[in-house]
Amino acid sequence: MTNKTFSNGYALLVGIGVDLPVTVKDATAVYNLLIDPSHAAYSTEQVALLTETSATRQQILAAFDRLIEQVSQNPEATVIVYYSGHGGSIKGSDGSSEYFLVPYDFNKSRIADTAISGREFTEKIEAIKARKLVVLLDCCHAGGVPALKEVDKSYTKSPVPPDLLNVLGSGSGRVVVASSRENEYSYTGNPYSAFTACLLEALQGKAAVNKDGYARILDVLIYLFDQVPKRASGPQHPFVNKVLGLGDNFPLCYYAGGSKFLPGESPSPEFTPAPTSLNSGQRRRMEQKRDALQGEWNLRSEKVKRMRTDFAIETATAIKFQLEQQLLDEEARLAHLGAELDAVEQALL
């Protein structure tokens, strides 16, 4: 136990409840992990949890305002916004469509006053001035969807507010992750939803490749893409908004309270600290390793460029999803290779 705090970490976690009791368990579990000093080690003052009666429209918007103010004082902030509940679009007979999230106090007779529109949600996210921002939307579709009073309107589940994708389309550290694609269910489980169960595991270090003490964004995404389809009760594939721009494998949190190793693990040879000074033989071997790593990094970098081009022009959904997984994996490998190369070059100084 290192007693470190992930001091730049901030989070707003929402679990609506009502007809989806698992959403409360989901949000609470993420909260407990984030503030646990032996896991993510966020400061309790920087993590807000809203569930059931505290997850009303007004309270959610107020919590966003508090988060926006907190983050404005810290240019190094890493922010997680997590929502578990109903999210979707109202479609009218005239062809119009508007996205909204369903708070605890949603009233089908007063949608404008009790729902949170996609525009409002997007404006709050846009106001969070953090370079590292991850929005996690576990928009469930279990036990039905909200009934609407107007007979000429219908509600359909939708993973992400369209405006949000446009707003966060630039910058490598601002990411939207949805638990499923638009034409899929987000499946519940016991005790957590399939998506959140995998997310919790990833944040606890199961996704970590380099074992450097951090749960990093690309590692987490790869874990979600791999595990959620295997664990869900039916077809479910997470969606990320900007697979082409995630070269920065930034940390979301600690996974073992600041330690590099989970309980019961011991350092492997590649993580043994380098000597403070190198003799001629050690320096020669270190330089050879650096040159080999640099060559591999150059090759992988070119491969990633080609994969990005293929992904951008591909239109077939099934192929595009496969390319998306492969590209995320290669981006992560490249980021880990770059970190290893940096460590070797540092040792040679």
Side-chain angles (χ1 to χ4, degrees), residues 317-338:
T317 303
I319 297 175
K320 198 172 185 73
F321 176 72
Q322 187 177 35
L323 287 175
E324 185 176 38
Q325 291 180 296
Q326 293 171 353
L327 180 54
L328 277 173
D329 187 55
E330 285 299 326
E331 290 272 19
R333 290 175 186 271
L334 186 63
H336 292 307
L337 197 58

Side-chain angles (χ1 to χ4, degrees), residues 33-310:
L33 184 143
L34 288 181
I35 66 167
D36 188 335
S38 66
H39 288 299
Y42 275 39
S43 168
T44 55
E45 290 77 20
Q46 294 172 190
V47 183
L49 172 66
L50 305 179
T51 61
E52 297 184 290
T53 56
S54 68
T56 63
R57 167 188 157 83
Q58 210 57 43
Q59 288 172 295
I60 292 172
L61 296 177
F64 263 116
D65 290 338
R66 290 191 294 272
L67 176 62
I68 291 164
E69 176 61 26
Q70 279 185 310
V71 171
S72 69
Q73 309 299 317
N74 185 354
E76 301 302 318
T78 295
V79 179
I80 295 174
V81 174
Y82 171 92
Y83 169 89
S84 185
H86 285 303
S89 297
I90 300 176
K91 297 186 182 295
S93 57
D94 59 356
S96 62
S97 179
E98 181 182 6
Y99 185 96
F100 71 100
L101 297 173
V102 182
Y104 181 83
D105 59 340
F106 173 75
N107 186 327
K108 64 183 180 182
S109 300
R110 296 187 298 111
I111 296 174
D113 297 332
T114 60
I116 297 177
S117 70
R119 175 185 52 78
E120 289 175 309
F121 185 78
T122 298
E123 287 174 353
K124 295 298 185 186
I125 295 296
E126 189 176 16
I128 300 173
K129 302 304 181 184
R131 291 190 296 272
K132 300 170 184 176
L133 167 66
V134 179
V135 181
L136 299 159
L137 299 172
D138 194 354
C139 292
C140 301
H141 192 314
V145 296
L148 300 178
K149 185 177 182 181
E150 294 86 348
V151 294
D152 63 335
K153 292 184 178 180
S154 62
Y155 173 94
T156 58
K157 181 248 184 187
S158 183
V160 182
D163 291 343
L164 187 60
L165 299 182
N166 297 329
V167 166
L168 299 186
S170 61
S172 63
R174 296 167 67 83
V175 185
V176 182
V177 185
S179 59
S180 64
R181 294 176 177 266
E182 189 165 8
N183 61 344
E184 296 177 334
Y185 289 92
S186 288
Y187 288 92
T188 58
N190 188 18
Y192 311 119
S193 70
F195 176 82
T196 297
C198 295
L199 174 65
L200 291 167
E201 292 175 0
L203 295 179
Q204 290 177 77
K206 285 193 175 183
V209 175
N210 272 359
K211 298 295 183 183
D212 60 356
Y214 295 105
R216 295 180 175 275
I217 181 63
L218 283 169
D219 299 354
V220 169
L221 289 177
I222 291 168
Y223 192 84
L224 293 173
F225 270 68
D226 177 62
Q227 290 294 313
V228 172
K230 296 176 181 177
R231 309 266 281 276
S233 302
Q236 180 178 344
H237 302 86
F239 163 85
V240 60
N241 70 312
K242 55 196 308 178
V243 70
L244 294 180
L246 279 174
D248 181 12
N249 196 16
F250 62 87
L252 291 176
C253 61
Y254 291 132
Y255 61 69
S259 170
K260 292 184 179 180
F261 306 101
L262 296 169
E265 288 184 336
S266 59
S268 53
E270 63 266 31
F271 292 105
T272 301
T276 54
S277 62
L278 301 173
N279 61 37
S280 59
Q282 289 171 329
R283 178 167 291 276
R284 184 176 63 256
R285 288 191 293 274
M286 194 69 77
E287 288 173 343
Q288 290 172 343
K289 182 176 182 180
R290 177 199 61 193
D291 294 343
L293 286 171
Q294 185 64 63
E296 186 180 354
W297 190 92
N298 292 340
L299 289 172
R300 285 195 178 276
S301 181
E302 287 301 315
K303 182 178 180 181
V304 165
K305 289 178 183 178
R306 292 196 300 271
M307 291 180 70
R308 285 177 172 175
T309 300
D310 292 343

